Amino acid sequence: MGVKNDPGWWASPSKVASHFGTSGLAVAAATGITHPIDVLKVRLQMQLVGQRGPLSGMGQTFARVVRKEGARSLYLGLTPALTRSVLYGGLRLGLYEPSKNFCELAFESTNIFMKIASGAVSGVFATLLTNPMEVLKVRLQMNNNARRGAIGELQKIAAKEGVLALWKGVGPEMARAGALTASQLATYDEFKRVLVKWTSLEEGFYLHFISSTIAASVSTLITAPMDMVKTRLMLQRESMSHGAYRNGFHCAYKVLVTEGPRGLYKGGFAIFARLGPQTTITFILCEKLREYAGLKAI
């Protein structure tokens, strides 16, 4: 976008705020648009827990939720989702550039492996800090009777399960976020470079759209099983009748044994239906906001 590359941007508080602000706003906007699909994804992942059998599709689940709970139920958990997206998005995308710059200084390289490592580090760190918001969001998405909202659910979890319950599923979520950020950002970054080099595309909407669509496809394939395991652990109390999951590996093993390999991809289409538009909106909006803020393209 014609902005001079300044590897020392972190020395300027205004540029730090710009990096994190543009990232957080872009992710929050994408989250708000795709939240109903996220609600459907969680409902699909909690189908037939501990059982094999025919699964409902996203269309059937959508019709059932709207018919029985009303259209407003598609926005359950929106408040913690937006709160998390500003912090998580700002950290996840905002830390990618400094991590990549550090790798360039330390290893004198920004190859695909450095990009993967940079994405993984930023995703893991962002998740560690924001996991309580994810737990709240998932609990509210499954509970149409939660009348006191996010604060009431937070108090309920802390009182009945302890404060540490807010970090349930943090292991799989960190693994998922690391894999998601690494595959998403590294794929987007690398495909942009390849497309600019081998095609007539230049920085702009079409380059961002194609690169982000490819990134969404790759990250969905890699992270769908981790997303399902994370959801099961965060909704542990709702699954207690089928035996407690001790950790992420135990959860994945029990799903494989009782529900088959297909069980790990429950809600897989909904994950892509959400992650595809969310990734595209996030990157296109983030690139535009970075341009307005005087920052170089990702």
Side-chain angles (χ1 to χ4, degrees):
M1 294 180 185
V3 180
K4 184 180 179 181
N5 185 4
D6 177 14
W9 66 265
W10 50 80
S12 167
S14 63
K15 284 201 171 183
V16 171
S18 295
H19 272 267
F20 285 83
T22 54
S23 302
L25 286 174
V27 175
T31 297
I33 293 170
T34 60
H35 188 77
I37 304 174
D38 192 40
V39 173
L40 296 177
K41 178 212 69 172
V42 170
R43 299 296 181 94
L44 288 165
Q45 288 173 329
M46 293 304 293
Q47 290 185 92
L48 300 176
V49 176
Q51 306 173 53
R52 297 175 188 253
L55 302 174
S56 298
M58 192 165 70
Q60 293 172 297
T61 303
F62 170 79
R64 183 171 63 250
V65 169
V66 172
R67 185 177 67 253
K68 292 185 176 181
E69 302 174 34
R72 288 184 63 185
S73 63
L74 294 172
Y75 288 91
L76 290 171
L78 181 61
T79 299
L82 291 175
T83 304
R84 174 183 177 272
S85 65
V86 172
L87 299 173
Y88 174 73
L91 289 168
R92 190 168 71 92
L93 298 183
L95 287 173
Y96 177 70
E97 287 295 321
S99 298
K100 193 171 70 169
N101 288 335
F102 175 79
C103 288
E104 184 174 11
L105 291 171
F107 303 102
E108 297 183 350
S109 172
T110 53
N111 61 33
I112 185 66
F113 299 107
M114 295 298 103
K115 292 174 182 178
I116 290 172
S118 300
V121 169
S122 58
V124 166
F125 182 72
T127 295
L128 184 63
L129 295 181
T130 61
N131 198 73
M133 290 296 101
E134 180 71 7
V135 172
L136 278 176
K137 182 198 76 170
V138 171
R139 294 289 183 96
L140 289 169
Q141 286 175 335
M142 283 297 295
N143 185 10
N144 190 41
N145 297 317
R147 302 300 179 190
R148 294 190 299 169
I151 300 300
E153 187 68 19
L154 176 65
Q155 294 171 336
K156 176 183 172 184
I157 293 172
K160 292 188 176 182
E161 303 173 51
V163 175
L164 289 179
L166 293 169
W167 273 269
K168 275 186 177 180
V170 69
E173 176 64 356
M174 286 171 68
R176 172 192 170 274
L180 173 66
T181 309
S183 59
Q184 204 176 51
L185 278 165
T187 301
Y188 177 77
D189 198 348
E190 191 65 14
F191 266 93
K192 271 184 66 179
R193 185 188 66 80
V194 171
L195 289 170
V196 167
K197 181 178 180 180
W198 295 104
T199 72
S200 59
L201 289 171
E202 298 178 350
E203 280 293 341
F205 175 80
Y206 293 108
L207 177 64
H208 301 157
F209 178 80
I210 294 170
S211 300
S212 60
T213 302
I214 295 170
S217 302
V218 173
S219 55
T220 299
L221 185 65
I222 292 172
T223 63
M226 301 176 200
D227 191 285
M228 197 282 304
V229 169
K230 175 264 300 185
T231 299
R232 291 289 179 88
L233 288 172
M234 289 181 175
L235 289 165
Q236 183 84 278
R237 289 179 67 84
E238 283 78 1
S239 304
M240 287 298 286
S241 61
H242 302 284
Y245 302 127
R246 293 193 292 270
N247 51 50
F249 292 109
H250 183 239
C251 177
Y253 170 75
K254 290 201 72 173
V255 169
L256 279 171
V257 170
T258 60
E259 302 171 44
R262 188 183 172 196
L264 289 172
Y265 280 89
K266 280 183 178 178
F269 179 74
I271 291 174
F272 179 75
R274 168 183 171 267
L275 195 57
Q278 186 183 47
T279 301
T280 302
I281 294 167
T282 295
F283 281 124
I284 290 174
L285 184 55
C286 188
E287 294 278 27
K288 184 57 68 175
L289 289 172
R290 288 170 73 93
E291 182 181 8
Y292 290 148
L295 302 173
K296 70 182 183 71
I298 294 174

